[in-house]
Amino acid sequence: MKTLSINILKVAAVVAAAITLGACSDDFLKPDPMSFFDPESAFSTETGLQSALAYADRHLRTNYIWYNSRDQDSPIGTDYMFSDMMVWGKTDAGGSMQDNFANRVTPTSDGTSNSYIQGGFWGEAYTGIKAVNAILDNIDNLQGVSEEIRNGYIGRAYFHRAYRYYNLIFQFGDVPLVTHIITMPKEDYYSTKKEAIIEKMIEDLEFAVEWVPKQTDTQYYGMINKEACEHLLVKYYLAALKFDKARDMATRLIEHEGMQLMRDPFGTNTTSTQGISSTWAIERNVIWDLHRPENKIGSFNKECILGMPNLSEQSFVEFKSMRIFCPYWNENGTSRFQTPDGKQPVKNLSRLDGKYDAALDWTHAIGRGIGVYRPTHYAQHGMWEVNGIEDKDDLRHNSRVGNWVNMEDMTYNNTDSKYHGRHLQLYATEDDGNIKAGTLLCNDTLRCWYDYPHYKYFYNDQVAMDNANSNACVGVTHGGNGNMYLYRLAETYLLRAEAYLYLNEPGLAAADVNEVRKRAQCTQYYNGSVNIGDIMDERGRELWMEELRNVELTRVSMILAKTGMADEWGNTYDPETWDKQSGEDRTGGSYWYQRIMHHSYYNRGVQIKFDNRTIDYHMDKHNLFWPIPNGAIVGNKKGKLKQNYGYDGYDPSVKVWDNWRDAVADEMKYVN
């Protein structure tokens, strides 16, 4: 089987440009400029259809979720700031909105500088939806293929649409259901209830599961397959409270599709070639191998449900993960960080310098970070506790094998300091000149001092490694391999654990969680049962930077409110008000809000002082859902989209479609 075909992608670029001209947040409200694009011609051949789907496949990893061309933010980073795992860390950003979501996130706050806060996800989601709607509206033009092949393409398009709506409804709540390319001006859209959208997407995915080929029968890796459709359908079944169906579909995927968790080292061994191995050694292990881009996609990886190819010679997009997510340890000077004798602690070493020391080349070993997104204390420590013990033998949290970096593991490499070669210290341990014992040596602990999962962030920056003059080493750039996962079987186990929990079988839920933990070679396991908090903790450990954390927390919040099931603290949530509360106190709200209150820095009075500026993080209960962007509202002149509670324009009396068929029938008035 091939990876993504270069020829298909070249054609896809042309087709995609025609389908998705422009990506403003209100584009879905406008009639498509079809005059320059002949869909009958584009979709009359299988190659044209493959090209359009290849565009949709590529779109999953571009500006929509993971990769982008920017080197100081990431869409997925925005998602994590609205969760229990990360906060904004860029302390030199001035009056950035990312520290005060409660007051600054508004329907009009989705401009260029903050596009990923809300508008970026909205606009990119509808860009992808429009692309596959064009396929679905013109599939009948496809000539010379069997019903089986035709339905397979329809099923793939359904997956893409369902994936984007899954994110939209748990980011924005009730949103417009758009299922066709309109051919006449339409300015009277109304929102559709998320429950109705869920019903529609389940119907589509059940069709997809029946017709989309398995991965082994697809043309190339990265093409939507049956297993991915099954996995997404499990999520939708959970959201629809169809827990028995979710359990059964997850079981089908786990036990009957030829997939399995990878439990032993496999694939290409990169432990001796990553970065500078003498600086940061990797003891080969299954978690390291599982997350090497070389090993993510291929028949040897039985765990990958759907991978996203990102090779330098094919459809390449950058993901500067080590720059965006790693700590800013290489601050130039001592204003943020210093040695116990007052020197710059860690420098970018030049490989052309006659004094170069490969054992202390931290830039190429772990990357040059600027700390844009900072993990919470929970993500660094509390999340890893099971039975009251922080499990540091867990391979996902293990610094001994090299998977996890603790700041104290690093060493000073400034030859001007007498501490050269010694381990980094957060506090001075002895008097040294003007610096007294006990002095805090890092004045910006938010941005410059935190621990993190090296195995998740590290991508070999081949361009920087091949250039002896370069000390950038920021992550995936042209010349590297940046393959990613969209879905892995480990998540399927955790989704089935959820289904078991909702079906009042906590023992079976614990068994599935422990299965994931066994592969990570943990020492602590759940004894007999788990609660929803245990499952969400395990999701954080296993799926760090793979899942959209905020989206999943919101999905679970809805389920708990509708079922009345208590969370790990004994809280229950009102199904009528879980998404209609405001305030920054520590009571009430939703499960999403309680996770943030217990595990993040929001509304705690945590103040980080640097450059005479205070970051005081704020999150409101109503930030559970993001505001519908103003651009989408003002472009909808004859209709009215439902704005979410707590934002300007909220009106509970606004018309909302509660049946997806009615929304589609209204849409069809504008389709020839």
Side-chain angles (χ1 to χ4, degrees):
M1 187 182 299
K2 298 181 292 184
T3 51
L4 209 54
S5 164
I6 299 174
N7 290 332
I8 287 177
L9 285 168
K10 288 180 179 177
V11 179
V14 177
V15 175
I19 294 173
T20 62
L21 183 67
C24 297
S25 62
D26 61 341
D27 254 14
F28 78 98
L29 298 171
K30 299 176 181 178
D32 278 62
M34 303 298 283
S35 58
F36 61 87
F37 174 52
D38 180 6
E40 292 186 6
S41 175
F43 298 112
S44 64
T45 67
E46 194 169 3
T47 299
L49 186 62
Q50 289 171 344
S51 298
L53 281 169
Y55 164 78
D57 294 340
R58 182 183 185 275
H59 182 256
L60 289 176
R61 69 182 186 277
T62 53
N63 285 356
Y64 181 40
I65 302 294
W66 281 274
Y67 301 101
N68 57 27
S69 59
R70 299 145 68 116
D71 65 357
Q72 294 196 18
D73 59 29
S74 166
I76 196 172
T78 292
D79 174 272
Y80 272 66
M81 288 192 297
F82 280 86
S83 81
D84 47 9
M85 290 184 66
M86 286 185 185
V87 293
W88 181 250
K90 205 165 182 294
T91 48
D92 61 355
S96 172
M97 71 180 297
Q98 287 93 335
D99 61 333
N100 192 342
F101 292 118
N103 297 326
R104 296 183 185 176
V105 173
T106 70
T108 58
S109 65
D110 60 334
T112 302
S113 62
N114 295 305
S115 60
Y116 290 126
I117 294 301
Q118 53 198 273
F121 277 102
W122 175 278
E124 291 296 336
Y126 278 108
T127 291
I129 289 167
K130 183 188 293 184
V132 295
N133 283 347
I135 294 170
L136 293 167
D137 280 356
N138 292 283
I139 191 71
D140 289 341
N141 296 324
L142 182 61
Q143 303 295 318
V145 299
S146 66
E147 179 187 15
E148 180 180 9
I149 292 175
R150 184 190 305 272
N151 287 345
Y153 285 127
I154 293 173
R156 288 189 176 100
Y158 281 164
F159 171 90
H160 276 292
R161 190 165 67 187
Y163 177 81
R164 288 160 179 81
Y165 268 114
Y166 181 82
N167 294 331
L168 278 170
I169 63 176
F170 293 120
Q171 290 169 329
F172 297 95
D174 300 340
V175 299
L177 177 62
V178 183
T179 64
H180 292 279
I181 297 295
I182 60 174
T183 55
M184 295 179 286
K186 178 173 172 57
E187 298 176 326
D188 60 347
Y189 280 93
Y190 290 91
S191 302
T192 300
K193 285 188 176 181
K194 51 188 169 293
E195 292 83 358
I197 294 175
I198 289 169
E199 180 186 352
K200 169 60 174 168
M201 296 304 117
I202 286 176
E203 179 178 297
D204 289 351
L205 285 170
E206 288 176 339
F207 178 94
V209 166
E210 180 180 357
W211 290 103
V212 173
K214 295 183 63 172
Q215 177 66 71
T216 53
D217 297 325
T218 58
Q219 182 181 3
Y220 54 80
Y221 290 110
M223 199 172 185
I224 304 305
N225 54 56
K226 180 186 294 292
E227 296 91 333
C229 297
E230 291 173 340
H231 186 87
L232 182 55
L233 184 53
V234 173
K235 294 191 175 192
Y236 269 108
Y237 279 150
L238 289 173
L241 311 187
K242 299 179 183 292
F243 304 133
D244 53 347
K245 287 190 173 183
R247 174 202 59 204
D248 294 345
M249 183 58 69
T251 299
R252 171 175 165 177
L253 183 52
I254 292 169
E255 299 180 5
H256 302 292
E257 299 292 12
M259 305 192 71
Q260 62 188 46
L261 296 180
M262 302 302 293
R263 299 182 184 276
D264 300 300
F266 70 99
T268 302
N269 181 4
T270 62
T271 56
S272 61
T273 58
Q274 73 92 20
I276 303 297
S277 59
S278 57
T279 305
W280 186 256
I282 300 294
E283 181 181 312
R284 192 177 188 190
N285 61 86
V286 64
I287 294 297
W288 177 260
D289 282 351
L290 184 67
H291 292 283
R292 294 310 88 223
E294 299 85 353
N295 298 336
K296 289 181 178 179
I297 297 176
S299 59
F300 49 82
N301 187 335
K302 304 298 184 183
E303 182 170 337
C304 176
I305 295 174
L306 181 61
M308 295 173 290
N310 190 50
L311 302 174
S312 59
E313 69 273 14
Q314 299 175 355
S315 182
F316 190 86
V317 288
E318 295 186 344
F319 185 40
K320 298 179 181 179
S321 55
M322 294 191 290
R323 173 174 171 79
I324 296 169
F325 295 103
C326 292
Y328 190 27
W329 51 259
N330 62 335
E331 155 74 356
N332 184 18
T334 60
S335 57
R336 285 186 172 88
F337 201 6
Q338 61 184 333
T339 64
D341 57 351
K343 304 294 193 325
Q344 180 181 347
V346 188
K347 291 187 172 183
N348 291 325
L349 301 183
S350 170
R351 284 175 286 173
L352 299 180
D353 191 325
K355 298 180 181 180
Y356 172 73
D357 187 348
L360 296 175
D361 186 356
W362 290 103
T363 301
H364 295 96
I366 63 174
R368 179 187 176 276
I370 59 172
V372 177
Y373 304 103
R374 201 256 196 209
T376 60
H377 186 273
Y378 159 78
Q380 297 175 74
H381 302 288
M383 185 173 74
W384 302 94
E385 291 185 4
V386 175
N387 303 322
I389 299 172
E390 184 176 347
D391 194 341
K392 295 188 176 182
D393 288 314
D394 183 333
L395 286 176
R396 302 163 300 184
H397 191 54
N398 189 318
S399 60
R400 176 182 54 79
V401 300
N403 288 350
W404 184 270
V405 173
N406 301 306
M407 292 298 295
E408 295 89 347
D409 297 331
M410 295 179 63
T411 48
Y412 298 115
N413 68 2
N414 187 346
T415 56
D416 293 334
S417 171
K418 69 180 182 180
Y419 292 87
H420 177 265
R422 290 169 58 174
H423 287 281
L424 267 59
Q425 300 173 202
L426 183 57
Y427 294 92
T429 57
E430 58 188 9
D431 292 347
D432 196 323
N434 294 326
I435 297 179
K436 302 297 182 182
T439 298
L440 179 66
L441 299 173
C442 181
N443 294 327
D444 190 353
T445 55
L446 181 75
R447 187 178 185 186
C448 301
W449 189 281
Y450 56 81
D451 308 332
Y452 63 94
H454 178 55
Y455 69 98
K456 281 291 181 77
Y457 293 162
F458 181 82
Y459 286 84
N460 192 28
D461 188 344
Q462 199 60 49
V463 172
M465 291 300 296
D466 290 344
N467 182 358
N469 290 309
S470 174
N471 58 15
C473 211
V474 296
V476 181
T477 56
H478 280 279
N481 182 327
N483 293 338
M484 295 285 289
Y485 293 119
L486 187 69
Y487 292 143
R488 282 191 295 119
L489 193 66
E491 185 186 15
T492 317
Y493 274 92
L494 298 177
L495 291 171
R496 188 171 70 171
E498 262 194 76
Y500 279 136
L501 185 67
Y502 302 141
L503 291 168
N504 196 29
E505 297 184 282
L508 293 175
D512 273 349
V513 175
N514 283 338
E515 203 61 35
V516 175
R517 295 186 61 75
K518 288 176 185 176
R519 190 267 297 283
Q521 300 177 21
C522 301
T523 57
Q524 300 298 315
Y525 295 92
Y526 292 102
N527 299 317
S529 68
V530 291
N531 58 42
I532 190 60
D534 297 328
I535 294 174
M536 297 312 292
D537 289 347
E538 193 64 27
R539 288 188 67 94
R541 301 170 194 129
E542 181 66 22
L543 301 171
W544 189 316
M545 298 308 296
E546 293 181 62
E547 67 173 350
L548 286 179
R549 180 72 171 177
N550 169 59
V551 167
E552 297 301 328
L553 286 173
T554 304
R555 174 184 62 78
V556 173
S557 297
M558 185 179 75
I559 294 172
L560 294 186
K562 289 186 173 184
T563 61
M565 176 178 284
D567 64 19
E568 58 265 39
W569 303 288
N571 301 319
T572 56
Y573 302 93
D574 188 332
E576 300 299 323
T577 64
W578 70 281
D579 57 349
K580 296 178 180 64
Q581 297 183 40
S582 291
E584 297 183 30
D585 58 283
R586 303 189 63 78
T587 61
S590 60
Y591 180 61
W592 167 86
Y593 184 76
Q594 286 301 315
R595 291 285 299 193
I596 288 176
M597 289 302 95
H598 280 84
H599 297 314
S600 192
Y601 301 145
Y602 295 108
N603 308 343
R604 288 176 173 265
V606 177
Q607 297 183 346
I608 308 296
K609 295 182 181 295
F610 182 73
D611 289 344
N612 297 316
R613 194 170 77 84
T614 297
I615 297 180
D616 190 0
Y617 293 102
H618 291 272
M619 187 74 78
D620 195 282
K621 295 171 187 176
H622 77 261
N623 294 136
L624 166 72
F625 287 119
W626 297 343
I628 305 301
N630 189 62
I633 293 172
V634 299
N636 193 36
K637 298 176 183 178
K638 298 179 182 179
K640 192 170 184 180
L641 302 184
K642 177 189 173 184
Q643 185 55 272
N644 286 314
Y645 176 87
Y647 301 105
D648 289 343
Y650 170 70
D651 180 355
S653 67
V654 169
K655 171 184 174 180
V656 178
W657 300 112
D658 58 9
N659 184 310
W660 67 263
R661 292 175 179 84
D662 293 338
V664 173
D666 180 72
E667 193 180 14
M668 291 301 294
K669 298 174 185 176
Y670 301 87
V671 178
N672 286 331

